[in-house]
Structure formats: C-alpha cells, structure tokens
Amino acid sequence: MRLTLDSICNIGFGVNLGSLSSELPDVPFMRSFDDSNKLIIRRYVDYAWKIKRALNVGGEAKLKKCVEIVDGFIYNVINIRRMEMTASRARGEELQKEDLLSRFMSLSNEDGSPYSDKQLRDIVVNFIIAGRDTTALTLSWLFSMLCKSPTVIKNILSEADKVLNDLNRTNETGHDGITINGFYGRVESKIQHDMCKYAELLNYQALNRMHYLHAAITEALRLYPAVPLESKVAVNDDIFPDGTKIKAGNFVSYSPYAMGRLECLWGDDAKEFKPERWLKDGIFQPVSPFKLTAFQAGPRICLGKDSAYLQMKMTTILLLKFFSFDMVENQSLEYSMMVVLYMAHGLKCKVSLRE
C-alpha cells in the first residue's frame, strides 16, 4: 500500500510522500485516506449514518476529521502548484511538470473554464482510489498464492532471464553489454544497487514479452478481483437481453469475485491458481472483458489497465528476483468488508535474500 501510494502521488500530483522510506514513517494523509475508506463502507449497514453525520458523532465525526486532513493535504498541493505556475508565467516560462494534476490545471473543463480547486481535488482523489488500493491488493493476493506455488515462481524467473538475455543480445534493453547473470553475484550491501540496475532492464519491451508473468497476475485478478462487487445505476429505462426490465434509478450489481470462480466459465479447476490456463504455446491469450471483469468493460473499461499491469509486473519480478518469501503457517487470509478486497490482516511472510 505504501509502494503504490508513493507511485500514484508522484504520477498524480508530483509529490514524493516517502512513505516507503526505511523508517516507514507515519503519514497523516495516508492514515486518514485509509480510515476514510473503512468508515465510508459502514454506511451500507448503518441506517443511522445521516443522523450521526448531522450530530457529528461516532464514526461520522471521525470521517469528517479524516476528510479534512485529506482535503487539506490536496488543496495545499494545488495551491503550491498554482503559485509555481504563476511564478513561471511571470518569468515568461512554462512550468515543466509531467504529473496529472499539472496537466489538468493547464486545461479547461467541459464549460471552457479552468478546473476549480474542488474539481481538481475530486480528480486527484479518484486517481488515488483507482491506482493505489487496487494495485496493492492485487499484489498482496498474488503473493499469497505464489508462496504456495514454487513452480510458478520458478517459471516466472526463468521467463524473465530468457527475455532479458534475448533482448540483451539484440541490444533492445537500451544498455550496452550488460550481463544479466552478473546480478546474481552480490552481497547484502549491494542489494539496492543491484535492484536499481536490474530495474533499468525492465523496460516496456521486456515486460511486454513476459507472458507467463502476465498470466500469473491475471490469474490473481480472476480469483481475487480488487473490487469484488460492482454496482451500476440505470440512468434510463432499459431491457436486458433476457427480457429483464430495468427502470431508471435501479441498482444493478454483479460480483467479479463470484464470476471468477464459476466452473461454467472457467472449467472444473476454476478455484485453482493456474497461470497456464491463459497461455497457448507460451503466448498470453486474453478473454472478453465481459468474462474477466476485473477492469470492467465497454465504455467504462479502466483507463489505467496497462499502467497497472506494468507496475505489478515490475514489482513482482523485482521482489521474486532478489528475495524468497515463505508464508507464515496457520495464518488466516481473510478479507475485510470494504469497497475493495482488502486483506484484513496483511500477508505475513519470512523474507530472505534469494540464493
């Protein structure tokens, strides 16, 4: 969760939170953001939440404080960025920022006006929700299955070695004369240096050729979709193909979690973690997004699908390449009731440097 928060904050609004630094600092924005997610979901079962909000008591009082902290942090970033842009224009320069917030601040909304601070806040929060929790939780559930599947780990690492060696021979890695096997001979003091050098090899071309890794992540998405229950609201009256009538304002819900376990869709081994089901002659075979609904489908398909896969691929291969993970026995891998498939107690592992 710290990894994906740092990355989405950097990409989203050009801020380095440093939540993953070695001391694992307490970050009020992160804590308040997480607490807000947990408190909001209670409204599904607490019919008195509107009264509590009006009286500012209980969980609604805490939620209000959390939202104030989140808003304060984001509005401060927006204000700083506006001052930077104003100062740049005064110097006759263009502020060179690549983050999403800066890009939206330089654009106009659908009315032709600049985005208001509230609109910018909503955009930033939306990107954090979409790009942080979902990716982090998919990685957590993936590693819970990898710990039980040493053969899958072996196949992922073998594929990575082959892909990188092939690209190195054709000099498609962007590096001249790098020996992949040279990264094995290291001591602990060199681990960070070695990981950084290895990460440089994991460009788009390399990651795109790792079909088995892609299949393993997709299999995790099938069994543990980040959003286990999806709901839509009909804007207008509609009729389903089977004749079911939907009235405007009706909620329509479906469960990607249940769909990923249906034998009628995936076969008798539907509950097994089996990356091979996605491969044919070693090449990943995608299915209809209406069958694997982790990223939704149609006009509402996830815009961050490709970037999410890239981040999950890079994170997974880096961790597996340099570390071994042994899951602590007799732990209960339960999920908690939230909008996303949160791992209630985390994944407890014994981690060691890979031999």
Side-chain angles (χ1 to χ4, degrees):
M1 296 289 271
R2 289 175 179 265
L3 166 70
T4 52
L5 180 66
D6 281 357
S7 64
I8 196 62
C9 284
N10 199 324
I11 296 170
F13 42 99
V15 173
N16 183 11
L17 283 183
S19 70
L20 198 60
S21 57
S22 57
E23 63 272 18
L24 295 179
D26 176 57
V27 181
F29 168 74
M30 177 178 66
R31 186 177 66 252
S32 298
F33 194 89
D34 289 341
D35 289 345
S36 296
N37 277 332
K38 295 174 184 177
L39 291 166
I40 287 173
I41 197 66
R42 291 183 184 179
R43 291 179 173 180
Y44 280 96
V45 294
D46 185 357
Y47 294 104
W49 71 267
K50 290 185 179 180
I51 298 175
K52 292 179 180 178
R53 183 178 63 178
L55 297 174
N56 195 33
V57 297
E60 289 297 315
K62 183 178 180 181
L63 175 59
K64 182 179 179 181
K65 291 181 180 179
C66 290
V67 171
E68 288 175 352
I69 293 173
V70 171
D71 281 354
F73 176 84
I74 295 176
Y75 283 135
N76 183 55
V77 173
I78 293 172
N79 290 333
I80 292 174
R81 192 59 41 78
R82 285 199 190 282
M83 289 189 290
E84 291 174 344
M85 295 174 76
T86 300
S88 293
R89 283 195 292 267
R91 296 191 301 268
E93 302 172 356
E94 189 72 26
L95 184 64
Q96 299 297 321
K97 291 281 189 178
E98 298 296 328
D99 59 276
L100 294 169
L101 174 62
S102 297
R103 290 177 180 270
F104 275 101
M105 291 178 72
S106 64
L107 299 174
S108 301
N109 61 24
E110 58 270 19
D111 298 325
S113 304
Y115 284 96
S116 67
D117 284 2
K118 185 180 183 302
Q119 288 175 315
L120 292 170
R121 187 279 311 265
D122 292 346
I123 291 169
V124 168
V125 170
N126 195 29
F127 272 107
I128 294 175
I129 293 174
R132 183 239 183 168
D133 293 9
T134 52
T135 303
L137 296 173
T138 299
L139 285 168
S140 297
W141 290 110
L142 170 64
F143 271 78
S144 74
M145 292 180 285
L146 290 177
C147 287
K148 304 173 186 176
S149 311
T151 302
V152 174
I153 294 177
K154 181 180 178 181
N155 290 341
I156 290 174
L157 293 175
S158 296
E159 177 186 62
D161 284 346
K162 183 180 186 304
V163 167
L164 293 178
N165 275 308
D166 287 348
L167 290 176
N168 188 48
R169 280 195 294 269
T170 58
N171 201 29
E172 292 182 55
T173 57
H175 296 264
D176 185 22
I178 289 179
T179 303
I180 308 301
N181 293 330
F183 292 102
Y184 290 104
R186 67 192 184 286
V187 293
E188 188 172 355
S189 61
K190 292 176 56 187
I191 184 66
Q192 188 174 12
H193 172 268
D194 286 347
M195 289 186 74
C196 288
K197 294 298 291 183
Y198 189 79
E200 291 177 5
L201 302 178
L202 301 176
N203 57 23
Y204 180 80
Q205 288 79 11
L207 293 171
N208 200 41
R209 296 187 188 187
M210 296 183 186
H211 294 272
Y212 192 91
L213 175 59
H214 193 99
I217 294 172
T218 305
E219 186 73 341
L221 286 165
R222 178 182 71 86
L223 291 167
Y224 295 99
V227 183
L229 180 67
E230 289 275 8
S231 296
K232 309 292 181 189
V233 180
V235 176
N236 301 307
D237 292 350
D238 204 350
I239 300 177
F240 277 178
D242 68 349
T244 301
K245 294 182 178 180
I246 306 296
K247 296 295 184 180
N250 282 170
F251 274 80
V252 178
S253 298
Y254 63 97
S255 175
Y257 184 91
M259 289 174 63
R261 288 166 162 73
L262 290 177
E263 293 184 0
C264 62
L265 289 177
W266 305 100
D268 296 338
D269 58 355
K271 294 182 181 180
E272 296 180 22
F273 176 62
K274 188 177 178 182
E276 289 77 11
R277 77 173 74 246
W278 298 94
L279 301 171
K280 182 178 180 180
D281 298 327
I283 304 300
F284 181 81
Q285 304 295 310
V287 298
S288 167
F290 292 96
K291 180 179 179 181
L292 180 75
T293 58
F295 291 101
Q296 303 203 44
R300 302 193 187 282
I301 196 165
C302 177
L303 297 176
K305 176 182 176 181
D306 291 339
S307 62
Y309 263 113
L310 285 175
Q311 184 176 17
M312 288 189 288
K313 284 181 176 181
M314 180 171 284
T315 303
T316 301
I317 195 63
L318 276 171
L319 290 176
L320 293 181
K321 186 72 175 178
F322 291 91
F323 301 99
S324 296
F325 295 84
D326 293 315
M327 191 163 63
V328 174
E329 296 180 358
N330 301 321
Q331 63 175 298
S332 178
L333 295 179
E334 301 174 346
Y335 58 84
S336 58
M337 190 181 70
M338 291 179 65
V339 174
V340 291
L341 197 64
Y342 200 93
M343 192 175 279
H345 310 294
L347 178 64
K348 299 177 178 65
C349 288
K350 297 177 181 178
V351 186
S352 58
L353 285 174
R354 184 172 292 279
E355 295 294 334

